[in-house]
């Protein structure tokens, strides 16, 4: 499984997931708040299966300057 969730996308998923779960536990938003497990899991595992059919990824592509090649 290659990571396809990164950066702000990951942070937003975790925050929204936790907020929904807290709302469900406290009884503020009802049982549908347990759907917060989905964004929480995708944020923690850094993988979203819904991105696959579209080929999307919010992970940064490795830049050529950050990769170092061994010098002879």
């Amino acid at each position: 499984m290659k990571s396809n969730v990164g950066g702000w996308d990951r942070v937003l998923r975790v925050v929204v997931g936790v907020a929904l779960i807290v709302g469900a536990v406290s009884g503020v938003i009802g049982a549908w708040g347990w759907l917060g497990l989905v964004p929480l899991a995708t944020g923690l595992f850094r993988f979203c299966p819904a991105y696959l059919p579209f080929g999307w990824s919010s992970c940064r592509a490795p830049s050529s300057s950050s990769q170092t090649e061994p010098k002879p």
Side-chain angles (χ1 to χ4, degrees):
M1 228 172 22
K2 185 177 177 185
S3 296
N4 62 3
V5 175
W8 286 104
D9 187 12
R10 183 178 186 201
V11 172
L12 185 63
R13 287 170 184 265
V14 171
V15 169
V16 168
V18 168
L20 286 171
I21 293 167
V22 167
V25 168
S26 64
V28 173
I29 58 175
W32 68 269
W34 288 105
L35 290 174
L37 289 170
V38 174
L40 179 63
T42 58
L44 292 176
F45 291 118
R46 300 185 72 172
F47 178 76
C48 179
Y51 280 5
L52 288 178
F54 304 105
W56 293 342
S57 176
S58 60
C59 292
R60 280 190 178 171
S63 64
S64 59
S65 63
S66 67
Q67 295 178 348
T68 58
E69 294 182 17
K71 296 186 180 191

